[in-house]
Amino acid sequence: MSPPSANVDAACDSLHSVVSRLQTQSPRALLIISGDFNHVSLNSTLPTFTQYVTCPTRDNKILNLLYANAEEAYSSSPLPPLGRSDHNLVHLVPVYEPLVRREPPATRTVQRWSEESEEALKDCFESTVWEVICDDLGEDMDSLTTCITDYINFCVDNTVPTRTVRCFSNNKPWITSEIKAVLKQKRRAFKSKDKEELKRVQRELRGLIRNGKDSYRQKMENQLQQNNVGEVWRGLRTISGHKHQNSLPGRDVRWANELNHFFNRFDSSMRQSPTSAADSPTPTAAVPPLTPQTLHTSSIHPAHPSPPPTTASNTHSTQGSSLSLSTTQVRRELRRINGKKTAGPDGISSRVVRSCADQLCGVMEHLFNLSLRLGRVPQLWKTSCVVPVPKTSRPKDLNSYRPVALTSHLMKTLERLVLAQLRRLVSSSLDPLQFAYQPGIGADDAVIHLLHRSLAHLETAGSTVRIMFFDFSSAFNTILPSVLKDKLENSGVDHHLTTWILDYLTDRPQYVRTQGCVSDRVVCSTGVLAPFLFTIYTADFSHNSTQCFLQKFSDDSAIVGLITDGDDKEYRGLTQDFVDWCQLNYLQINASKTKELVVDFRRHKHPPLQPLNIQGMDIEAVDSYRYLGVHLNNKLDWTHNSDALYRKGQSRLYLLRRLRSFGVEGPLLKTFYDSVVASAIFYGVVCWGGSISAGDRKRLNRLIRRASSVLGCLWTQWRW
């Protein structure tokens, strides 16, 4: 119980110390903190704990609280007081559903790879005369791609053995068949009510589980010594439960079709062929016709002078300079493929492509160059299999799912090769304030640039800063090929490569795959190249003056207005110009998610700033906004960012404790700490480390001290 006169900070520190010690000793135990808290709150001290009392406990106030380190465990409801008590009773009902009930067992067929099977597959490809297939089908891209794909899958099916396994959601890799047999003995002994037999089986079971965990840990240590970091990281995630993906509920084909059309809602309403789009001057009936002359010309600044227009005399030379790939380039890119990625709709495994890069680079080089020369992408390579991943543990509607597109690994390889060439061609015409895809520049540089110019302006008396953070709806899927064509040609991209990119963006079928059902195919636009093409698509709108500037990081765009004495005319004009330009270029601004952050340090009271209106909706002014992973607030004091980092560090510290209780020590534990815990705590530290408050510094140092106690090493105070 915490009386009203209690020291809140001392009480929170005491609870935090006790809870941290208990969590280190037993990370998987359920901890419950209950009592009369009055004005004390543990939301900032223990952010990973959930407060379950949501009903009034005395009159209309919630004074009695219950915290637990389990999410979605209880639901609360009030009951009449007990006797003469002035506090209500609280009825807590468990709502947790076991994992095996939420995720039914699945039967899968997996390939059993070994060194012998890889060598046999390499021999099969080396003895193949690829010229016979290529010469027979000639320049028929679709037939040639399908034939080579079927042949590769045929060789894999006849060379690599398979095994059918039944996977349970609660299966652990250290649970062997021997342990499962002893578990059955334990159930039989319990039913027979033989206490001596039950004790003997329990002792045997504990010993087998302990030996199984030790063997699994030794296996990971051996893999670390062999520099097999991928398997080590997978084992650490399995033990700690880090980033466990939510399963999809069983649904029918109708639900899959609805989800497929929902993911494609913006593309289906806007996608037009290049010819029809060029003939139609208006994007939609609701949008008035716009031309570049209707925008303020001061807001459109090409980053560099546009190249001279293409004439008939130089068209032939441009066509002769089309991109050509070498076998060495293709081989190097094939070897970089992650062998653990899921296969795309063509069924070719990433491990096959990576392991047999030397044997497949020749025929892939022929396919890639033929595709670039003809300006056509095979339909099989443009097809996407979309797997919906729930954003929350309990998704409620279609918007609660995030689409993850699986495409051909061969197509991804070709896209990366084209991307390297395209970056070199258009580097001189990109927006100078586009921080994405720039060598040696990242998200930290974008945040520092925004803060530096804002803080420098705020040093002037009577100054304010207004920042408009734009949100695009399905940005990469709304690139209109007919509009992009002119932008590519003005950026110096040759005709053959432009034709290939336009064909890459059009007629891209996709289908949604869930448990037991597959949706119909619809047309969409996505891929590895899409984010960079978006930077080219938006490069011709830039603005950088002493009072306003527009900075971008791929599709994250922000207009910063450096306003003096309330004169925001240029800021409002630039915002309206950008909105009009987006309509002209068929980009969909999500006005409901577009937010404005106002930084105003003026002491005297001034009339409130008038909100900006976009698409008939007043933009909401927020106190804090998450920009490129860093939380900015209207005081620029990093309190919101520190709260988010502390909360994330606390939740990941639990994973570290799980590993420690498993017996993982030394380099393995340190590797997990650096990759998961420290990376979360120190994200963007170059932006906020020098100006963090003393209180927030103390909180983060306390978090690091707890982590050092779990690691079993000396703690040195971090000097920010």
Side-chain angles (χ1 to χ4, degrees), residues 320-605:
S321 62
S322 59
L323 175 62
S324 179
L325 305 174
S326 64
T327 306
T328 303
Q329 290 176 305
V330 176
R331 181 189 296 110
R332 181 173 62 249
E333 201 63 40
L334 291 177
R335 289 176 177 174
R336 293 178 179 176
I337 293 178
N338 188 347
K340 304 298 181 181
K341 295 293 185 179
T342 306
D346 59 354
I348 296 181
S349 170
S350 59
R351 183 161 185 171
V352 174
V353 180
R354 180 186 176 93
S355 303
C356 304
D358 295 335
Q359 292 74 28
L360 296 176
C361 62
V363 66
M364 291 301 114
E365 180 263 339
H366 173 76
L367 272 178
F368 292 169
N369 284 326
L370 180 61
S371 174
L372 293 171
R373 187 173 70 251
L374 298 178
R376 291 187 54 222
V377 179
Q379 195 72 9
L380 181 61
W381 287 359
K382 293 196 292 185
T383 304
S384 302
C385 174
V386 179
V387 178
V389 177
K391 300 178 183 178
T392 60
S393 58
R394 298 179 183 273
K396 299 179 180 179
D397 51 13
L398 298 178
N399 198 29
S400 300
Y401 294 91
R402 178 180 294 106
V404 177
L406 303 179
T407 56
S408 171
H409 291 289
L410 300 178
M411 184 60 200
K412 291 179 182 178
T413 303
L414 178 56
E415 289 182 63
R416 294 188 184 99
L417 292 169
V418 172
L419 177 61
Q421 177 72 5
L422 191 61
R423 290 177 62 179
R424 182 183 63 83
L425 292 175
V426 303
S427 59
S428 59
S429 60
L430 292 179
D431 186 355
L433 292 183
Q434 172 62 262
F435 289 86
Y437 293 99
Q438 299 293 336
I441 298 178
D444 294 340
D445 300 274
V447 177
I448 291 174
H449 177 265
L450 186 149
L451 292 174
H452 172 71
R453 296 193 59 175
S454 299
L455 292 172
H457 175 72
L458 289 171
E459 294 178 356
T460 307
S463 60
T464 58
V465 174
R466 301 181 69 173
I467 309 173
M468 183 70 66
F469 297 100
F470 289 92
D471 181 84
F472 292 99
S473 299
S474 191
F476 305 146
N477 288 349
T478 53
I479 300 175
L480 200 63
S482 60
V483 179
L484 180 64
K485 178 182 178 181
D486 298 333
K487 300 176 185 288
L488 290 173
E489 293 176 349
N490 293 333
S491 299
V493 181
D494 61 75
H495 175 71
H496 275 77
L497 186 54
T498 301
T499 304
W500 185 90
I501 292 175
L502 297 182
D503 186 77
Y504 159 81
L505 289 175
T506 55
D507 298 330
R508 296 180 61 91
Q510 78 171 22
Y511 59 93
V512 171
R513 183 186 67 193
T514 61
Q515 293 182 358
C517 60
V518 178
S519 69
D520 298 331
R521 295 193 178 190
V522 297
V523 179
C524 74
S525 172
T526 184
V528 175
L529 269 177
F532 185 73
L533 293 177
F534 187 82
T535 63
I536 303 175
Y537 197 79
T538 58
D540 57 345
F541 189 98
S542 63
H543 189 92
N544 188 11
S545 66
T546 57
Q547 298 298 321
C548 285
F549 64 92
L550 167 66
Q551 72 172 51
K552 312 167 189 173
F553 193 91
S554 191
D555 62 324
D556 291 311
S557 303
I559 291 180
V560 183
L562 310 177
I563 301 168
T564 304
D565 297 329
D567 184 10
D568 59 354
K569 182 178 179 180
E570 183 178 354
Y571 171 73
R572 289 180 174 273
L574 176 59
T575 303
Q576 186 60 46
D577 289 346
F578 185 68
V579 173
D580 293 342
W581 179 88
C582 290
Q583 292 182 355
L584 180 65
N585 289 268
Y586 302 87
L587 296 179
Q588 300 286 327
I589 294 179
N590 191 343
S592 61
K593 292 185 178 181
T594 299
K595 306 297 180 183
E596 185 183 27
L597 186 68
V598 180
V599 183
D600 189 357
F601 293 157
R602 294 177 296 178
R603 297 182 179 180
H604 301 288
K605 293 184 178 180

Side-chain angles (χ1 to χ4, degrees), residues 105-112 162-168 171:
T107 302
R108 301 174 183 173
T109 302
V110 296
Q111 296 176 336
R112 305 181 63 180
T162 59
R163 182 181 62 177
T164 302
V165 295
R166 194 180 185 191
C167 302
F168 292 86
N171 265 7

